[in-house]
Each structure stands twice: as structure tokens, then as C-alpha cells.
Amino acid sequence: MIRFNVPPVAGKEMEYIKQAVESHHICGDGPFTKMCNKWIEDTTGCKKALLTTSCTHALEMAAMMCDFKDGEEVILPSYTFSSTANCFIPAGAKLVFVDVEPTTMNINPDLIEGAITDKTKAICVMHYAGVACDMDKIMDIANRHSLIVIEDAAQAVMSTYKGKPLGTIGTFGCYSFHETKNYSMGEGGALLINDPAFVEKAEILREKGTDRSKFFRGQIDKYSWRDYGSSYLPSELNAAYLWAQLEIAEEINANRLASWDKYYNALKPLADAGKIELQYHPEGCVHNAHMFFIKLKNLEERTAFIAHMKANDVLTVFHYVPLHSAPAGLKYGRFAGEDVYTTKESDRLVRLPLYYNLDKKDQQKVIDTILSFWKE
Ligand SMILES: *Cc1c(COP(=O)(O)O)cnc(C)c1O
């Protein structure tokens, strides 16, 4: 059976975890966490990066810092993972979903302005498959209406938009290092803060409401409970695992891109013949091969396709039941405008196995099995 995902292993994970164990520093914010934070800051240029226990938690921190007051709203796509929306519930925001662009499956920037009301406080975008949203348009709207922008860049580590790393364009960026993502620590993530005004607040929020971060830097001589907070810092054991991957991030990225290109070239004839649709990358978007998806004719064909692949020992998956039509989406949000593409396009999308060190023979088998679906 060819698995859909295999979590990345760079090679030095055990060595670094052993180091953490032997140093007797296994709680958060030790040397490995600091190296990971610095790597993110150095490679992306964000003002401050804080490793978190998940991208979900990074999103929760960002949502909390927006400081939503009674009935204030956030605009977001409906075609996304639950965490993109879920984080705004404890923060007290109302969800306003808008449609996606069928080409990228990213939020359609031209629909955002029509969804803005006098209650709108923030826009949360999600860079699907590591391909950037139209950030020039989105930042222009946000600036004209004084809105906070959160980038759910869970899938977008190492992707850029017009040369800028994703996660560094809005006020906040959120990365995921879950085992299904390009770089992993099992469960984990990072909050990227691009506006220095939020750094201290974020540190307090992450460290149980205390100014312990300042204390450890020697900036104050005792720490105390300053504000509401929780515990969003991961253990050093997880950070050690992640460090092994970040160290060879370029290699992992190149390896994934090579697999991605192989799929693309092999499936291009099917696309040219009008059987499937392939991914589209707008100008200025450099992707990170997070995902390889194709679009089939409709739900019925997709169901038959997944069954055909499975019968031949290849696991392919689909995802994202549109949030606005899910039970929690109905409870906490509304859809602004018309759902032209979100449901229709999500019904016909399917993802192929893609991970670091995907075996070439396995990949050829995936390709041959796909081709055989249209020959039968
Ligand atoms: C994976 C993912 C998340 C959640 O990441 P965790 O680290 O598992 O919390 C959030 N948003 C998107 C778009 C994702 O793909």
C-alpha cells in the first residue's frame, strides 16, 4: 500500500532529542526552541517567531490579540481546515465566510470588500497548498479599512509571494509543524509576529499570562502574572525533532518540488486532453510542494477515482467539507455572498501521495494507476 503521507525524517532527530534529554532541559524555550525561532526569523525576516504547541494554538494567540469586542467580525474562506475558523470562537468573533477562487482555492480578494461591515475587525487568509493568496489586493483592502490580517500559513513554510515569505505579510503568520506538513515536530507550530507592538503581549499569552520571557532575558528581576494567558510553548523534545528538519529545509523543499514536478509533467497530457485540471500558480507565487491535487469532473467521478486507486493499493484523499455548511459553521458564522465555487470545487478535488523522500518507483506506480483510470 502506498501511503498518502509519511512524516519527514531528516536523520539527526534522535541525536538532537538525546542531546535535549542529557542536557536536562526538556521543558519549553531551551536551546532547540531558540534555534528554531531564530531559523524562522532569519529565513523569513519576521520581527519575532515563537514556537507553539500547534498551528491551531498560534492561530488562537493571533485571534486573541485582535481583541474582538461584542459582535465584531472576521472575514475568512470557507474552504479551509477547521482551525482557521475555530480559533476565533474563544476570541469572541463572528465568522463571515466568503467564496474562493476556483483557480487556486484561495479566498477571492474581490469578494472581501462586499463582506465588510462596520463590525469587521480582521481578515484571516489561508494560503492553500502553500500557494499565496493575492496579498497585494488583500493588504490594500486591509489598510484602507484598518483591518488586522492573519495569515494561516500552516501549509506555506518556505513559500513566497513576490519574494516575501508567506506568514510575514499580514500582522500575524501561523505555521504548522504537524506530521502532515513539510517540516514536522509531531505536533507543533509557530506564531510569526510582524508588528513589534504585539511581541510582549504574545510572550505573556504564551507563558501562562506571565512575563517570564522577559525575566529569563534578564530584563526584569522577578516575574509575575500580567494578563490572561495559557501555555502554548512546546517541549524541547519536539523542538529538537524539528531542528533536524529545519537544518536541511532546502533539501527537503527541493526533494518535494522534484516529486511535484514529476507528477505535473506526467499528468499534463491528461490535463491537455481535458480529463483533469492541474494546479495553477499565479505570477509571483513560489510554492513549496506542500500538496499535489488534481480536479476531476465531479463528485461521482472522484468517488470512482479514489476507489480505483485504493483497489490498486494507492491511498488518495480529499478534504475540507466547506466550513459554512458544517454544524459549527452554521452556529458561529454566515456566508457573505454566494457559494459559487467553494462546495462545487471541493467536491471534485483529490490529493495524491506526496512527502519527503517519496520513492521514485512508488511515485511511478501512482502515476501509472492514475493513467489506467482513464484507459479502462
Ligand atoms: C494543518 C493545518 C492547520 C492546523 O495545524 P496544527 O498544527 O495541526 O494545529 C491549520 N490550518 C491549516 C490550513 C492547516 O492545513
Side-chain angles (χ1 to χ4, degrees), residues 247-297:
E247 238 184 3
I248 61 152
E250 288 289 349
E251 187 191 319
I252 293 176
N253 197 45
N255 178 284
R256 296 186 71 109
L257 282 165
S259 297
W260 197 98
D261 289 343
K262 188 178 155 97
Y263 274 138
Y264 192 90
N265 295 327
L267 300 177
K268 186 83 174 35
L270 274 185
D272 291 341
K275 306 277 191 219
I276 61 168
E277 274 172 47
L278 291 171
Q279 273 160 267
Y280 165 74
H281 298 144
E283 221 182 292
C285 297
V286 175
H287 76 116
N288 60 355
H290 173 62
M291 198 188 295
F292 198 98
F293 70 79
I294 59 176
K295 283 186 187 168
L296 306 180
K297 224 181 324 173

Side-chain angles (χ1 to χ4, degrees), residues 62 65-66 148-151 167 170-174 191-194 198:
M65 284 188 285
C66 291
I148 296 169
V149 174
I150 299 170
E151 297 176 73
T171 317
F172 303 107
C174 302
L191 176 68
L192 282 67
I193 302 161
N194 302 312
F198 287 102

Side-chain angles (χ1 to χ4, degrees), residues 156-171:
V157 182
M158 297 285 276
S159 293
T160 57
Y161 173 78
K162 301 189 178 173
K164 287 185 210 144
L166 300 189
T168 67
I169 302 166
T171 317

Side-chain angles (χ1 to χ4, degrees), residues 79 104-106 126-131 155 291 293 319-320 349:
Y79 184 71
T104 56
M105 300 304 282
N106 281 333
M126 193 274 271
H127 304 295
Y128 184 61
V131 178
Q155 306 176 2
M291 198 188 295
F293 70 79
H319 60 175
Y320 303 154
L349 184 149

Side-chain angles (χ1 to χ4, degrees), residues 54-56 80-81 83-84 126 152 154-155 176 178 181 188 320:
S54 64
C55 179
T56 303
T80 181
F81 187 60
S83 293
T84 318
M126 193 274 271
D152 180 344
Q155 306 176 2
S176 174
H178 184 259
K181 300 304 199 291
Y320 303 154

